[in-house]
Structure formats: structure tokens, C-alpha cells
Amino acid sequence: MTISAVLFDVGGVLWDSAAAHRRVWTSWSRARGLDPEEVWTLTFGRRPEDTVRDAAPHRDPTIERKVLDELLVQEKNSFPPIDGAADLLEALSDSPWAIVTSGDRESVTERFAAAGLPLPAVQVYGSDVENTARPWPNARSPWGPPS
């Protein structure tokens, strides 16, 4: 097998985001009279807007995304790097690698800086794709089609 590039998600892969996201969704759920445990089960691998559509269909997902983003801003430095992430990315410094995440560009950039992790040249964010819960790793590679 020939590997031409490595694609990483970020939350739970390069940094530990579980505790911060759990606090955000718990706060959001309680403020809307929803069961935080039920909402939490809907969040994995999905954009916040999609979780809102299922958890609170009477609410505007775009407005609620802004509320959730504000709650995440309050968690600014609560995303420590996963053990070994910095060493792994350093080892890949001469190889093509990218991040592929449902996160937004601004917060991901800030969290990488706070965690002391380098950003790759290629970055694909949830806002870069349409009609999907997250960017798909099997989408057209920025380095060309698989050989």
C-alpha cells in the first residue's frame, strides 16, 4: 500500500475536546429545557446545526449554532493536545497531511495555536462543504486522485 497523504480530524484525534463539548452541550440543553444526556448522544460526528434539528426542531439551527459557538468561545483553552500529537505532526513535517473537520476555521486555528500544534497547508472545514455532516475523507484529494 502506498500512502500519499494523511488526513486528520481534530477533536478527539489531535486534541481532547470531549470535556469542553460536553459542557457546551449540557449548558445549551439545560437553557432550552432539554435533557442533556439525550442531546449529547446526538452530537457525535455531526455539525451542531444537524444536532439542533434533531434535538430541538422548533429552533432555528443557524441561530442556535451562533449560541453554541459563543459557548465554545468561553472554552477557549480547554482543548489540550492528545498525548503524542505534537510528536506525530513533527514526524510528518516533510509529508503531506491535512485536517478535515466539521469545525470552523477561526476556532480551529485558535485551538491549534493554544495547543502548540502546527497547522498543515491543507485544511478542510465544515463550511467548505455542502449537504453533509462533515467533510468526507474520500472526497477528491488536494494532492490528486489515488494511484
Side-chain angles (χ1 to χ4, degrees):
M1 174 191 307
T2 302
I3 298 173
S4 57
V6 179
L7 305 179
F8 292 102
D9 193 356
V10 293
V13 176
L14 296 175
W15 68 54
D16 185 355
S17 58
H21 281 279
R22 180 73 178 222
R23 286 189 297 272
V24 164
W25 282 107
T26 295
S27 176
W28 180 86
S29 300
R30 286 184 177 149
R32 281 143 189 80
L34 301 171
D35 179 348
E37 294 303 315
E38 286 183 25
V39 172
W40 181 243
T41 65
L42 299 173
T43 65
F44 297 97
R46 307 176 77 199
R47 293 181 301 175
E49 298 90 335
D50 299 325
T51 297
V52 168
R53 280 187 193 94
D54 286 347
H58 57 286
R59 298 215 170 251
D60 182 325
T62 302
I63 292 170
E64 297 303 317
R65 171 64 188 252
K66 290 176 184 174
V67 171
L68 289 158
D69 287 347
E70 284 302 313
L71 291 169
L72 271 174
V73 166
Q74 296 170 23
E75 296 285 339
K76 192 169 193 102
N77 294 320
S78 299
F79 299 85
I82 297 286
D83 288 342
D87 292 337
L88 173 62
L89 297 181
E90 176 63 30
L92 289 173
S93 64
D94 293 330
S95 301
W97 65 280
I99 57 171
V100 182
T101 178
S102 59
D104 68 277
R105 188 175 307 275
E106 182 178 349
S107 64
V108 168
T109 300
E110 289 173 1
R111 290 179 192 136
F112 263 75
L117 298 174
L119 277 167
V122 177
Q123 304 161 33
V124 181
Y125 297 92
S127 60
D128 296 332
V129 297
E130 294 180 23
N131 302 320
T132 185
R134 59 182 45 244
W136 290 96
N138 61 349
R140 176 173 272 270
S141 165
W143 300 283
S147 52

